[in-house]
């Protein structure tokens, strides 16, 4: 079993819109090796104390602080929770709520305290989680495999998934020559394949609905072609594992899928760069934080790349989008670029958390706008 919790876009939007008198965001490097997780727990305790110090310096209400610390320390003391970790842990706590997500990404350990959550590192996990589903599809069998970076892949149990093509249509074989209208011979086999794949697609909806994790197909020939035409999941990648999957283990399927994932991510970044260059001549881009904040506030951002590895503290006015930068990152300030990303997402923008080298000009952000500035 894999111990990874990747938030959906709805969950991400809910977290980014949360407001409280104290929002504590903790990101922590962890390990899936249970025997080595003790170091992560010690660091988590240190980050809790750092959050406590910031709130005490801000004269935060003592009773509210005690409630917040209780929930964080309860998590710290939960031995069963710490037995099952991935590569990083994200925890979002207020005096009234706490949420935790185990992530496949390697994220930098940090704590942020403000009136809203620090979402930018989590955006990286949503943008490119290094995770995928692999559908191993053949006439003889079908499997769904879930894979994550640096974690072993695992088969996913899918309710109502057909066992194979023949049994899905009530046959012992698809090679019979019996007539039933046009259902016979090679033409009949194609029709049976379509029926089989429609059942596979319907079963997958129960597992994939609401997710945005890429799906990689491992199949050959006519089955691959029909599935690509029929699949209703919007995040099916165009590149496939063009080998018969029956002879591959889950680990081998994951290994073959990783280059496809990397290529899909690189292609999307390249397409955004190309669009950025085209829109630059139309004055529909900006790399300026203040301009991007105003554009995000008024729904003017179409696509946005942000650097996930730094935090610029300050404030963004709710009405005008005006930015106020501050030198000290305390319990009142929050990440300005983080706030820009949240507002852009709320207006339907495509937002990607990337490394600085993937941003045009190596800046903190690069925005493609819906209209000129």
């Amino acid at each position: 079993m894999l111990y990874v919790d990747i938030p959906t876009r709805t969950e991400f939007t809910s977290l980014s819109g949360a407001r409280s008198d104290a929002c504590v965001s903790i990101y922590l490097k962890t390990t899936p090796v249970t025997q080595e997780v003790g170091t992560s727990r010690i660091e988590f305790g240190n980050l809790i104390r750092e959050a406590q110090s910031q709130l005490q310096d801000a004269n935060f209400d003592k009773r509210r602080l005690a409630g917040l610390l209780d929930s964080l320390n309860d998590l710290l003391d939960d031995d069963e929770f710490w037995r099952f970790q991935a590569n990083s842990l994200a925890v979002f706590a207020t005096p009234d709520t706490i949420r935790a997500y185990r992530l496949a990404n390697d994220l930098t350990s940090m704590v942020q305290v403000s009136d809203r959550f620090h979402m930018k590192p989590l955006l990286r996990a949503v943008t490119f989680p290094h995770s995928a589903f692999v559908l191993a599809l053949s006439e003889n069998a079908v499997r769904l495999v879930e894979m994550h970076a640096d974690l072993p892949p695992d088969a996913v149990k899918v309710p109502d998934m057909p066992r194979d093509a023949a049994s899905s249509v009530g046959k012992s074989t698809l090679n019979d020559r019996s007539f039933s209208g046009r259902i016979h011979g090679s033409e009949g086999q194609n029709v049976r394949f379509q029926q089989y794949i429609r059942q596979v697609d319907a079963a997958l909806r129960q597992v994939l609905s609401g997710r945005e994790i890429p799906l990689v197909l491992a199949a050959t020939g006519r089955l691959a072609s029909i599935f690509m035409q029929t699949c209703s999941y919007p995040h099916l990648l165009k590149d496939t594992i063009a080998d018969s999957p029956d002879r591959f283990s889950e680990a081998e399927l994951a290994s073959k899928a990783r280059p496809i994932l990397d290529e899909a991510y690189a292609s999307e970044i390249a397409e955004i760069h190309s669009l950025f260059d085209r829109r630059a001549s139309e004055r529909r881009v900006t790399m300026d934080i203040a301009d991007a904040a105003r554009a995000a506030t008024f729904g003017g951002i179409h696509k946005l790349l942000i650097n996930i590895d730094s935090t610029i503290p300050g404030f963004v006015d709710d009405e005008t989008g005006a930015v106020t930068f501050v030198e000290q990152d305390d319990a009142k300030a929050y990440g300005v670029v983080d706030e820009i990303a949240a507002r852009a997402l709320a207006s339907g923008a495509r937002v990607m958390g990337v490394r600085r080298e993937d941003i045009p000009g190596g800046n903190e952000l690069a925005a493609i706008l819906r209209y000129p500035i």
Side-chain angles (χ1 to χ4, degrees):
M1 183 176 180
L2 299 177
Y3 304 102
V4 174
D5 317 299
I6 298 174
T8 64
R9 183 174 292 270
T10 299
E11 291 175 305
F12 185 93
T13 301
S14 177
L15 284 168
S16 65
R19 298 292 183 268
S20 178
D21 49 355
C23 289
V24 175
S25 308
I26 295 177
Y27 293 92
L28 178 72
K29 292 183 70 67
T30 55
T31 172
V33 181
T34 303
Q35 298 88 330
E36 299 176 5
V37 81
T39 300
S40 298
R41 292 180 75 170
I42 292 171
E43 186 174 7
F44 187 67
N46 292 335
L47 294 173
I48 292 174
R49 285 187 287 275
E50 184 178 336
Q52 178 181 0
S53 177
Q54 287 192 36
L55 288 167
Q56 288 173 335
D57 290 344
N59 296 316
F60 188 68
D61 182 85
K62 292 181 179 180
R63 293 180 62 182
R64 298 277 287 167
L65 176 58
L68 189 152
L69 293 176
D70 282 346
S71 62
L72 287 171
N73 283 309
D74 285 347
L75 188 64
L76 176 63
D77 294 335
D78 188 342
D79 294 335
E80 190 69 10
F81 173 80
W82 290 98
R83 281 182 57 204
F84 307 110
Q85 294 297 316
N87 293 330
S88 297
L89 176 66
V91 178
F92 305 98
T94 73
D96 307 302
T97 63
I98 185 168
R99 300 287 185 272
Y101 295 93
R102 294 164 293 189
L103 307 171
N105 302 65
D106 286 315
L107 299 179
T108 302
S109 295
M110 68 169 70
V111 59
Q112 294 286 324
V113 181
S114 182
D115 67 342
R116 64 202 69 193
F117 293 125
H118 180 60
M119 302 298 296
K120 191 161 55 172
L122 187 64
L123 183 62
R124 173 70 174 183
V126 175
T127 298
F128 187 59
H130 296 279
S131 303
F133 289 106
V134 181
L135 181 69
L137 178 68
S138 75
E139 181 178 340
N140 302 313
V142 56
R143 291 175 288 161
L144 184 66
V145 176
E146 187 176 10
M147 56 172 283
H148 301 279
D150 302 322
L151 295 173
D154 199 19
V156 178
K157 185 176 181 179
V158 181
D160 303 321
M161 180 68 84
R163 186 175 69 252
D164 54 50
S167 65
S168 72
V169 294
K171 295 278 189 178
S172 59
T173 177
L174 296 187
N175 296 320
D176 63 80
R177 303 290 296 182
S178 61
F179 282 74
S180 176
R182 66 188 184 95
I183 312 297
H184 64 91
S186 60
E187 182 183 3
Q189 187 181 62
N190 283 340
V191 175
R192 296 302 191 193
F193 278 170
Q194 291 169 354
Q195 294 172 335
Y196 172 43
I197 287 172
R198 279 194 290 271
Q199 291 185 39
V200 170
D201 183 64
L204 286 175
R205 288 194 202 110
Q206 301 178 69
V207 174
L208 301 183
S209 178
R211 296 177 179 261
E212 297 184 2
I213 298 175
L215 174 65
V216 178
L217 175 65
T220 61
R222 185 65 179 148
L223 270 179
S225 176
I226 295 174
F227 185 83
M228 296 298 285
Q229 295 169 0
T230 304
C231 179
S232 60
Y233 185 59
H235 305 289
L236 173 67
L237 299 185
K238 63 179 181 177
D239 292 333
T240 68
I241 301 172
D243 291 308
S244 177
D246 290 348
R247 58 192 178 91
F248 296 132
S249 67
E250 280 81 11
E252 290 170 326
L253 287 167
S255 178
K256 289 179 176 293
R258 285 192 181 97
I260 296 174
L261 279 180
D262 291 340
E263 177 59 29
Y265 176 72
S267 294
E268 184 170 9
I269 294 293
E271 288 173 4
I272 291 177
H273 279 225
S274 177
L275 180 61
F276 186 92
D277 291 339
R278 295 198 303 273
R279 294 292 183 258
S281 62
E282 303 169 8
R283 297 175 56 219
R284 288 178 56 188
V285 302
T286 185
M287 293 178 285
D288 181 80
I289 291 176
D291 287 343
R294 285 191 293 270
T297 300
F298 295 103
I301 293 181
H302 173 48
K303 294 180 183 289
L304 177 67
L305 299 178
I306 62 170
N307 174 26
I308 65 165
D309 292 323
S310 66
T311 299
I312 299 175
F315 306 92
V316 182
D317 186 87
D318 288 337
E319 299 297 329
T320 67
V323 175
T324 302
F325 297 102
V326 299
E327 293 185 4
Q328 184 176 357
D329 188 4
D330 56 18
K332 295 182 180 179
Y334 49 83
V336 170
V337 176
D338 209 40
E339 181 65 16
I340 292 170
R343 295 186 188 190
L345 275 171
S347 66
R350 174 66 167 123
V351 180
M352 298 184 69
V354 298
R355 306 295 182 187
R356 186 185 295 274
E357 57 266 26
D358 288 327
I359 299 176
N363 292 283
E364 290 295 326
L365 59 76
I368 299 173
L369 307 177
R370 293 191 169 109
Y371 46 76
I373 58 173

